[in-house]
Amino acid sequence: MLTRRHFIGTAIAATIALPGLALAEPAAYPHKVVTLVTHSSPGGGSDVFLREMSKYLSKYIGATFIIENVQGGSGAKAIARVASAPANGSVFYATTPTYIYTSLLSQPTNTYKDLDPLVNFFADSEVIYTRTDGPFKTLAEVIDHARKTRGRWGAANPASLERQAAEQLKRAAGVNAAIVTHEGGGDLMLNTLNGTLDIGIGEIQELRSQLDANKIRLLATFNPQRIPDKPDVPTVRESGFDVALVKFRGLAGPKGIPADVTAIWDDAVQKVLADPDYKKAYSAEVLVPNFIAHKDYPAFVNDFATRTEAFLKETGAIK
């Protein structure tokens, strides 16, 4: 069953204080309404990204943006929804590593190869967290516990970068922790808070409310370097385990997006990432701008898919 949630971006037309000068008009766009599809449940990482970004995007693209949550199959239904849409710039999908993993692990009817990568916005930090009132203060303590009693670790869904991060950490640490996957971040958080899981792996924007309430503790980040806004959180590598991963966040559409549409997005994404108000918002969520233009984004996605497929074959997840 499709769950449809709408968020309508607000187009802005205003005059600044200097007489005779006005803010630039949004770029003319061939569609009045653009649907942004995500496999994420409401409140999940991609859902939060799209809803927040849409608030500012209408300053630069003359359209109303609607968010559509299409859950099921670890992203398979959302991929199919977009792959079958008109290739005219009216429907896009929120790309993350999940749509690569789903394509490789479950062999759905439509895969990432049936979508045309449009543009990338961000690199997103993956972190390891645990409950504040729990027994673990460091990642080393979690690993030591896993050596003694196996342990239970949580990831958002079976086809995700979080799952790969957990698998790579297991291998690097030489432990056999049970990895419990979930369809969404809400259940994962609940099981981490109630002690069912030793740790969860997720994104800071999904964890914000629990972090602010001091309910969870960040143990490490999979980023190659420490997160600028979280300088006290060590990297997994600094903690003694040679694993580094970064999540990408962008958009893709049906095959054959017109060149005039991709040009509008290339220009608008650079402007929205430089928007001072949006910069404050995404910096608070520890998102790092990582603009990749349309001409380069397909190669980036294909390279990620190739490396992911090699890892999955190496670990026996696929043949």
Side-chain angles (χ1 to χ4, degrees), residues 27-214:
Y29 199 72
H31 304 283
K32 292 182 179 180
V33 177
V34 177
T35 301
L36 303 178
V37 177
T38 175
H39 60 264
S40 178
S41 59
S46 290
D47 178 77
V48 173
F49 155 60
L50 291 178
R51 292 179 190 280
E52 188 66 25
M53 179 267 291
S54 296
K55 296 177 185 178
Y56 304 92
L57 190 59
S58 288
K59 288 184 182 181
Y60 307 102
I61 294 180
T64 293
F65 294 92
I66 294 175
I67 312 307
E68 182 177 315
N69 301 86
V70 182
Q71 297 171 249
S74 295
K77 289 186 177 181
I79 295 171
R81 158 76 172 95
V82 177
S84 62
N88 58 10
S90 63
V91 179
F92 295 103
Y93 170 75
T95 54
T96 70
T98 293
Y99 93 124
I100 304 297
Y101 285 98
T102 294
S103 299
L104 295 172
L105 289 170
S106 59
Q107 298 181 333
T109 302
N110 296 107
T111 73
Y112 76 92
K113 295 180 181 180
D114 296 310
L115 300 183
D116 187 0
L118 176 67
V119 65
N120 196 69
F121 285 74
F122 294 111
D124 198 352
S125 303
E126 296 284 2
V127 294
I128 301 170
Y129 65 94
T130 190
R131 70 187 198 277
T132 304
D133 59 357
F136 307 112
K137 303 295 188 295
T138 66
L139 179 57
E141 292 176 351
V142 173
I143 300 301
D144 185 59
H145 176 75
R147 289 196 178 104
K148 294 174 180 176
T149 65
R150 192 179 185 195
R152 289 171 63 85
W153 302 352
N157 67 59
S160 65
L161 187 66
E162 291 87 351
R163 175 63 184 267
Q164 179 178 339
E167 295 287 357
Q168 289 201 24
L169 180 58
K170 274 179 58 175
R171 186 170 62 172
V175 298
N176 190 32
I179 299 176
V180 183
T181 54
H182 304 69
E183 270 296 333
D187 289 340
L188 170 58
M189 176 61 71
L190 178 63
N191 286 332
T192 304
L193 289 173
N194 67 22
T196 301
L197 299 171
D198 301 327
I199 57 171
I201 298 173
E203 305 140 19
I204 288 182
Q205 58 185 320
E206 292 182 314
L207 314 177
R208 175 62 61 193
S209 61
Q210 300 299 335
L211 275 173
D212 291 345
N214 198 33

Side-chain angles (χ1 to χ4, degrees), residues 239-314:
S239 302
F241 311 103
D242 189 18
V243 183
L245 295 165
V246 177
K247 190 168 192 171
F248 60 86
R249 288 199 178 280
L251 294 174
K255 282 287 188 181
I257 306 169
D260 60 334
V261 170
T262 65
I264 292 170
W265 280 93
D266 278 347
D267 181 64
V269 170
Q270 294 178 80
K271 290 177 178 176
V272 77
L273 289 175
D275 185 289
D277 293 331
Y278 186 37
K279 191 170 185 178
K280 289 179 183 178
Y282 68 68
S283 295
E285 302 300 336
V286 200
L287 290 170
V288 179
N290 185 29
F291 170 70
I292 303 176
H294 176 68
K295 67 181 180 64
D296 300 317
Y297 201 31
F300 172 89
V301 169
N302 288 333
D303 177 67
F304 182 89
T306 298
R307 289 185 286 108
T308 299
E309 184 174 16
F311 172 79
L312 293 174
K313 287 181 176 178
E314 182 184 345

